[in-house]
Amino acid sequence: MTALIGIDWGTTSFRAWRMGAGGEVLETVEDGPGILAAAALPGGFRQAIDDSIGPWLGAAPIIASGMITSRNGWVETPYLPLPLDARALAASLTLHQGIHFVTGAVSGPDGPAPDVMRGEETEIIGHLAGGGTDGLFVLPGTHSKWAQAGGGQLTAFRTVMTGEVFAALRDHTILGRLIRPGAGSADAFRRGVEAGRQDGALLGRIFSARTLALMNRLAPGDIADYLSGLLIGDEVAQGARAAAGPVTIIGRGDLALRYRTAFAVLGIDARIAPPGMARRGLWEIARMGKLL
Amino acid sequence: MTALIGIDWGTTSFRAWRMGAGGEVLETVEDGPGILAAAALPGGFRQAIDDSIGPWLGAAPIIASGMITSRNGWVETPYLPLPLDARALAASLTLHQGIHFVTGAVSGPDGPAPDVMRGEETEIIGHLAGGGTDGLFVLPGTHSKWAQAGGGQLTAFRTVMTGEVFAALRDHTILGRLIRPGAGSADAFRRGVEAGRQDGALLGRIFSARTLALMNRLAPGDIADYLSGLLIGDEVAQGARAAAGPVTIIGRGDLALRYRTAFAVLGIDARIAPPGMARRGLWEIARMGKLL
């Protein structure tokens, strides 16, 4: 018996779950088309849904979160201001083409550095709904999100472009020229974290990825890990300054482990959240929105 | 009567001067091939010299500084440690193919962030020799150099990759997608400087170049100037923290003016050095080296 269909629909990813009466997962689709790929299909987003989860349709309400509600998505919805909780997200669901869309959040829309998220708010709500503690949440990625939650609410966040800047530096600056493929060096990564945490002078500090290599003090196969550590070390040192409460990393695989290591170098014990936060958040918002 | 031929030979630039007995300029070549272009000539660096300043040859000693003494140059020479003055550079001239090559400088070769320069040391020496004061020197560029001089010596420096990072962010990250050509906005540049000077959290702060544009608070034609201001503002705010003495910008055109503006936003009155510092430095080192 299907109670809810949930979709986490990002720019380059599409994950969906068919859930039972208690929120348990009955079936999963992990490889649907992200927004860019879906928009390019002849039948667009509708086709993406039919192709990916056609057999599920009609069995239960559908709820979706992520960049799918952005300007380049299926339906653009206005951001909600902070502080934000599951109830506010549920009250703002947008029904479009039979799907209930969760909107995103905006921080400081009138301030000097406005910021936005779509999708991560649902993951944080999922964490809080699952009995997770308040505190600092880090969602590593191309654009990492750093969010603060308290009293069951998302209270602040900002976007840090670490992943995309790393790729641009590696592929399109002099720092990449000496890089050779390596086996992956945890030592080089830690060394980069130590360098990156020193001060905020990142535009200068990164040059050491070249000079250390030129002086044969950094192996060509280790440069990428060192540079990764340097950027993540800067990000984590800057982010930890304003942090309050326990630190939770919402992410998977090697990247989540890198962030945990960077926090450890700074003497902070960060916890990696169990998987399923997006699905759990969708369930909670659907419950608040009386879709169940 | 030619007394000295001086060459400032960089990766992508070649400037040469024929100087008279008092160091005055008799003739100038501004458009010779930089190292990359020269190395690609059939006759290599030798041909570059012959093509560019052939008629001058034989009339006087030749002295050259810049990246031409790097691994990719004509002759690789060892870096000199700090502190460094004209006398030490003169004592280390390398005679190769009839040219006296000025070597570069290394900072903290055994420390966590070693740094190197080739060419800028000669410009700073030129400034000091011309009666310029000690203090902080900023040489803006793809890789900016920040140098401290005292007692006629170059005592510290570091490289800041502002120019190259700006180009990588503009051309190879999401920040560039909304950029449209603009007339050049001094206001947007200043606004960026104000944002960039705030704290060291640059990897997060740069995202505002996108969000402000998405919220129609930054015109597409102004984004590039804003981002330029943001990076230079970060660089100048970080660099000014450790500065002692008056600030001198060694550079030309719009870029030098941008740096002066950024210093002004921080309440610091920076002076732009008169042109000719490289040539004057070559003259001084040649004099110390008894080439005159």
Side-chain angles (χ1 to χ4, degrees):
Chain A
M1 163 73 195
T2 306
L4 183 70
I5 295 166
I7 307 172
D8 175 19
W9 204 340
T11 303
T12 59
S13 66
F14 174 109
R15 295 183 299 156
W17 305 272
R18 190 163 67 81
M19 293 175 254
E24 74 280 12
V25 176
L26 303 176
E27 208 172 345
T28 301
V29 167
E30 290 271 2
D31 57 356
I35 291 165
L36 297 177
L41 292 172
F45 297 110
R46 184 77 253 166
Q47 182 185 342
I49 289 285
D50 292 341
D51 290 353
S52 304
I53 57 170
W56 302 357
L57 300 179
I62 308 173
I63 186 169
S65 65
M67 290 295 284
I68 191 64
T69 60
S70 69
R71 198 166 296 182
N72 300 319
W74 199 350
V75 55
E76 185 176 4
T77 59
Y79 296 107
L80 290 182
L82 301 179
L84 185 59
D85 59 13
R87 196 169 300 275
L89 286 166
S92 302
L93 285 170
T94 297
L95 183 61
H96 176 78
Q97 299 261 346
I99 299 173
H100 301 272
F101 288 95
V102 181
T103 195
V106 61
S107 164
D110 302 316
D115 212 330
V116 293
M117 61 167 50
R118 288 193 191 267
E120 295 89 351
E121 73 296 324
T122 300
E123 296 184 73
I124 294 164
I125 293 298
H127 182 82
L128 299 176
T133 54
D134 293 345
L136 175 69
F137 294 85
V138 183
L139 297 91
T142 305
H143 295 174
S144 298
K145 300 288 183 185
W146 287 65
Q148 195 74 41
Q153 293 185 316
L154 172 62
T155 55
F157 71 86
R158 64 194 191 93
T159 302
V160 189
M161 290 182 59
T162 313
E164 193 173 14
V165 170
F166 171 74
L169 294 178
R170 180 194 58 197
D171 298 340
H172 300 289
T173 75
I174 199 170
L175 300 182
R177 300 222 192 119
L178 301 174
I179 290 179
R180 297 293 170 267
S185 165
D187 276 352
F189 178 77
R190 278 174 183 275
R191 200 171 152 199
V193 172
E194 287 288 0
R197 69 178 286 198
Q198 292 303 319
D199 53 40
L202 186 70
L203 290 170
R205 190 65 61 166
I206 52 177
F207 197 57
S208 63
R210 178 167 176 82
T211 51
L212 286 169
L214 284 176
M215 294 179 183
N216 299 316
R217 291 175 51 201
L218 182 64
D222 290 350
I223 300 173
D225 282 318
Y226 174 81
L227 184 60
S228 166
L230 218 160
L231 294 183
I232 293 175
D234 178 86
E235 177 187 1
V236 168
Q238 297 291 336
R241 278 205 275 166
V247 177
T248 303
I249 299 166
I250 300 182
R252 290 180 291 179
D254 173 63
L255 193 59
L257 293 175
R258 280 179 188 252
Y259 276 75
R260 191 172 66 180
T261 297
F263 275 108
V265 170
L266 267 69
I268 297 169
D269 185 26
R271 179 172 161 275
I272 297 179
M277 291 303 114
R279 174 179 49 80
R280 192 186 278 269
L282 290 168
W283 178 266
E284 180 68 8
I285 295 165
R287 196 174 66 81
M288 290 279 181
K290 309 219 182 300
L291 301 184
L292 301 175
Chain B
M1 163 73 194
T2 306
L4 183 71
I5 295 166
I7 306 172
D8 175 18
W9 204 340
T11 303
T12 59
S13 66
F14 174 109
R15 295 183 300 156
W17 305 271
R18 188 162 69 81
M19 292 174 256
E24 75 279 13
V25 176
L26 303 177
E27 208 171 345
T28 301
V29 167
E30 290 272 0
D31 57 355
I35 291 164
L36 297 177
L41 293 172
F45 297 109
R46 184 77 254 166
Q47 182 186 339
I49 290 285
D50 292 342
D51 289 353
S52 303
I53 57 169
W56 301 356
L57 300 179
I62 308 173
I63 186 168
S65 66
M67 290 295 284
I68 192 63
T69 60
S70 70
R71 199 166 295 181
N72 299 320
W74 199 349
V75 56
E76 186 175 4
T77 59
Y79 296 105
L80 290 182
L82 302 179
L84 185 60
D85 59 13
R87 196 169 299 276
L89 286 166
S92 301
L93 286 170
T94 297
L95 182 62
H96 176 76
Q97 299 260 345
I99 299 173
H100 300 272
F101 287 96
V102 181
T103 195
V106 61
S107 164
D110 303 316
D115 211 330
V116 293
M117 62 166 50
R118 288 193 191 268
E120 295 89 352
E121 73 296 324
T122 300
E123 296 184 73
I124 294 163
I125 293 299
H127 182 82
L128 298 176
T133 54
D134 294 345
L136 175 69
F137 294 85
V138 183
L139 297 90
T142 305
H143 296 175
S144 298
K145 299 289 183 184
W146 287 66
Q148 194 74 41
Q153 295 185 316
L154 172 62
T155 55
F157 71 87
R158 65 194 191 91
T159 303
V160 190
M161 290 181 60
T162 314
E164 192 172 14
V165 171
F166 171 75
L169 294 178
R170 180 194 58 196
D171 298 340
H172 301 288
T173 75
I174 198 170
L175 299 183
R177 300 222 192 119
L178 300 175
I179 291 179
R180 297 291 171 269
S185 166
D187 276 352
F189 178 77
R190 278 174 184 274
R191 199 170 152 200
V193 172
E194 287 288 0
R197 69 178 288 198
Q198 292 302 320
D199 53 39
L202 187 70
L203 290 170
R205 189 66 61 167
I206 51 176
F207 197 58
S208 63
R210 178 167 177 78
T211 51
L212 287 169
L214 283 176
M215 294 178 183
N216 299 317
R217 291 176 51 203
L218 182 63
D222 289 350
I223 300 173
D225 282 318
Y226 175 80
L227 184 60
S228 166
L230 219 160
L231 295 183
I232 292 175
D234 180 86
E235 176 188 2
V236 168
Q238 297 291 336
R241 279 206 275 167
V247 177
T248 304
I249 298 166
I250 300 182
R252 290 181 292 181
D254 174 63
L255 193 60
L257 293 175
R258 280 178 189 252
Y259 277 74
R260 191 173 66 179
T261 298
F263 274 108
V265 170
L266 267 69
I268 297 170
D269 185 26
R271 179 174 161 274
I272 297 179
M277 292 302 116
R279 173 178 50 80
R280 192 186 279 270
L282 290 168
W283 178 267
E284 180 68 9
I285 295 165
R287 197 175 66 80
M288 290 280 180
K290 309 215 184 300
L291 300 184
L292 301 175

